[in-house]
Amino acid sequence: MGPDGAALVLAPHPDDESLGCGGLLAACAAARRRVTVVVVSDGAGSHPGSRAWPPARLAELRQAETRDAVAALGLDAARDLHFLGLPDRSVPREGPAFEAALARLVALAPADCTVFAAWRHDPHADHAASFVLASALRQCLAPGTRLFAYPVWGLAHAHPVPGFPLPAPPELPAPPRGYRLDVSSWLPAKRRAIAAHRSQLGQVIRDDPGGFVLPQALLDLACRPAELFLEEPA
């Protein structure tokens, strides 16, 4: 990122910013680096069977949880956090909505920023679509802008999560290159940020037994003492 570089983090859903790179965000905040977090989808698809929490109300709740989460990481939610509001489970990879989202990201991107996005091989369509958006964004920014991918669900390819159905492992053209960032000093803040996403931990919505709940195995992976960032070639 350079000695004074900024970060632009794309989170496919509200909570991915904390799970995938909460330690990085906390470290940047402590170093007074410019950080912009953009949540791509509205997160309204996690509990489709709930009558008490219809999509619009759930989206509002998840925005509030994300504000609390980034505050726990040391960021200013009013300044540093933005929401694109694209439909959960249907983040586009092309078309008018994609182009509008890209234009907004170009306007939000800090000068001399490094872009961080979910890994293209994460086994979730919204994560893959967010990576496509990040790749298009890099092409609109200054030459030499670097793009790093952070795996969330993709970590299960190396560390299986019980009960989580994985597709076949991705065929990579070459061994991945990147960095393991020591975030051990920031794990307490990262855990507080993850805990702020109460709706995804089964603590809020009671009328959708089939609704999504973050599995403990994934939480354990997210809270390891290092975060993984894979550099994407230009």
Side-chain angles (χ1 to χ4, degrees):
M1 294 175 60
D4 301 308
L8 174 69
V9 172
L10 269 65
H13 306 95
D15 71 7
D16 288 316
E17 81 295 327
S18 300
L19 294 167
C21 48
L24 170 72
L25 292 174
C28 286
R32 300 183 181 274
R33 288 177 180 258
R34 176 78 184 277
V35 179
T36 299
V37 178
V38 182
V39 180
V40 176
S41 80
D42 60 12
S46 65
H47 291 77
S50 174
R51 298 184 65 182
W53 293 90
R57 186 185 184 203
L58 179 54
E60 290 180 359
L61 171 64
R62 298 201 66 185
Q63 284 196 14
E65 290 175 338
T66 310
R67 293 186 187 97
D68 290 342
V70 300
L73 297 171
L75 302 180
D76 181 339
R79 180 193 64 203
D80 303 326
L81 178 63
H82 305 272
F83 300 92
L84 296 184
L86 294 172
D88 190 356
R89 301 187 180 184
S90 299
V91 173
R93 302 188 188 203
E94 59 184 1
F98 178 92
E99 295 298 332
L102 177 59
R104 188 170 178 210
L105 287 174
V106 171
L108 290 172
D112 301 320
C113 70
T114 299
V115 180
F116 297 86
W119 189 37
R120 70 171 80 198
H121 298 295
D122 252 22
H124 193 299
D126 288 346
H127 288 223
S130 296
F131 180 86
V132 173
L133 186 58
S135 297
L137 172 63
R138 174 164 65 168
Q139 301 305 313
C140 299
L141 301 180
T145 296
R146 302 174 81 181
L147 170 61
F148 288 91
Y150 59 89
V152 181
W153 290 104
L155 289 172
H157 283 298
H159 308 276
V161 174
F164 181 67
L166 275 177
E171 295 185 7
L172 304 180
R177 299 174 62 86
Y179 298 91
R180 288 184 177 89
L181 178 66
D182 181 1
V183 297
S184 53
S185 297
W186 312 111
L187 281 180
K190 181 171 182 173
R191 291 192 179 99
R192 290 194 297 272
I194 293 172
H197 293 283
R198 299 178 62 245
S199 66
Q200 306 306 291
L201 298 171
Q203 300 173 1
V204 177
I205 301 171
R206 308 296 185 185
D207 63 341
D208 185 4
F212 177 75
V213 177
L214 282 162
Q216 186 59 49
L218 179 66
L219 297 174
D220 293 341
L221 285 177
C223 291
R224 295 183 304 165
E227 290 176 343
L228 183 64
F229 300 97
L230 306 176
E231 184 158 20
E232 295 292 333

